[in-house]
Amino acid sequence: MAKNTSEDDGAMFENEADGLSVDLSKVEAQKFEVLPKGIFNGIIEEAKFEMSKSSNQPMWNLQIAVTDEGEFQNRKQFTILSFSEKALPGTKAALATFAPELVEAPFNPKSEDVLGSLTGKPVKFKIKHETYNDEPQSRVAKWIAPEAGDGFMG
């Protein structure tokens, strides 16, 4: 059979009769730059309900895009809010800053309506650095309530 070959950004893809062959020898590995320590404004782009792989406890996995103008605009920060009993005080403190309606009454964290209500919410957060698998990681250290007139709530 004929061999189809294509090259894109240094990778070679060969589609042979017996399957696909990929040559990554000339491809530069993707590197994730951490956000610097500091305070950022952002918007929740995605909120997913999941069960933690390590604790099997319910949690939200949030994807936040930085909205501050400059070199970090649109940079993504991922974080979780856990619904384990031990983590509930921190989750409540976080929600009080950007979704205070959720600390006023019971809610179902799996609900598509609740998850949808988080998408598009503006957030303000402080980044700290931690090391994980010998690599620096940016982590949300603190959620910050917006102040009146800071332009955060638009």
Side-chain angles (χ1 to χ4, degrees), residues 118-129:
L118 297 174
T119 303
K121 285 239 187 221
V123 292
K124 191 170 192 173
F125 55 98
K126 181 177 182 180
I127 288 292
K128 74 175 186 175
H129 290 170

Side-chain angles (χ1 to χ4, degrees), residues 64-139:
I64 304 165
V66 173
T67 57
D68 296 315
E69 291 186 17
E71 70 176 295
F72 304 111
Q73 188 172 19
N74 295 320
R75 181 82 68 84
K76 306 298 186 239
Q77 177 66 42
F78 297 89
T79 192
I80 65 164
L81 293 179
S82 175
F83 294 102
S84 72
E85 189 173 340
K86 182 179 174 183
L88 285 177
T91 297
K92 181 177 181 176
L95 291 175
T97 68
F98 64 85
E101 67 280 5
L102 295 178
V103 301
E104 310 271 328
F107 65 92
N108 180 348
K110 291 184 189 181
S111 163
E112 290 298 322
D113 288 339
V114 172
L115 291 166
S117 75
L118 297 174
T119 303
K121 285 239 187 221
V123 292
K124 191 170 192 173
F125 55 98
K126 181 177 182 180
I127 288 292
K128 74 175 186 175
H129 290 170
E130 293 182 346
T131 301
Y132 179 75
N133 290 337
D134 296 324
E135 294 289 329
Q137 302 285 316
S138 57
R139 183 169 104 71

Side-chain angles (χ1 to χ4, degrees), residues 9-11 23-31:
D9 293 331
D23 179 0
L24 299 176
S25 62
K26 296 179 183 172
V27 176
E28 189 173 327
Q30 184 177 20
K31 295 177 184 170

